[in-house]
Amino acid sequence: QVQLVESGGGLVQAGGSLRLSCSASGRTFSSYGMGWFRQAPGKEREFVAGISWNGDSTLYADSVKGRFTISRHNAKNTVYLQMNSLKPEDTAVYYCAGSQSYATVVPASYNYWGQGTQVTVSS
């Protein structure tokens, strides 16, 4: 069993930056593909970024490419999402997710989810 806990959300002005962290319990974290998703009110959960178990491969949604960076530190059981040049449309609850297989854009491919952290970007 893996437990994921996100932190780092908050209120920021447009153009600002935030770094989200996701801390994982369990000894198998380093073998998991990890992803970040987000869900805005009234919208479906959408993929934001994903990273392979060793960090060699990353994947981004077109809407965040060039602005967000996903990374991981396996020794610390932590995955990060650095968010720069934030826009009001980035406002959402951000979720960390872990996959026993590959990190993909499909929510159903992930086995574990955090509780989410709110990110609000004001204009």
Side-chain angles (χ1 to χ4, degrees):
Q1 188 76 10
V2 174
Q3 291 186 324
L4 304 174
V5 179
E6 302 96 335
S7 61
L11 174 64
V12 64
Q13 288 188 333
S17 298
L18 282 175
R19 188 175 83 154
L20 305 184
S21 298
C22 173
S23 296
S25 65
R27 294 174 292 176
T28 57
F29 170 80
S30 61
S31 66
Y32 281 57
M34 298 297 295
W36 285 96
F37 289 76
R38 66 187 181 187
Q39 188 166 18
K43 295 188 176 182
E44 292 187 354
R45 190 168 298 190
E46 65 172 355
F47 172 79
V48 175
I51 189 167
S52 61
W53 68 274
N54 61 358
D56 283 354
S57 178
T58 57
L59 185 64
Y60 295 95
D62 287 343
S63 59
V64 307
K65 204 171 291 183
R67 300 188 297 124
F68 290 11
T69 302
I70 188 171
S71 61
R72 66 189 298 161
H73 195 307
N74 284 345
K76 295 183 178 180
N77 276 14
T78 303
V79 62
Y80 305 97
L81 185 68
Q82 177 67 44
M83 305 186 296
N84 298 329
S85 302
L86 282 161
K87 305 175 181 180
E89 51 264 44
D90 293 319
T91 295
V93 177
Y94 282 71
Y95 298 90
C96 172
S99 171
Q100 292 175 330
S101 182
Y102 300 103
T104 75
V105 304
V106 180
S109 67
Y110 291 81
N111 307 95
Y112 304 102
W113 291 85
Q115 83 290 348
T117 185
Q118 177 71 47
V119 171
T120 302
V121 184
S122 64
S123 57

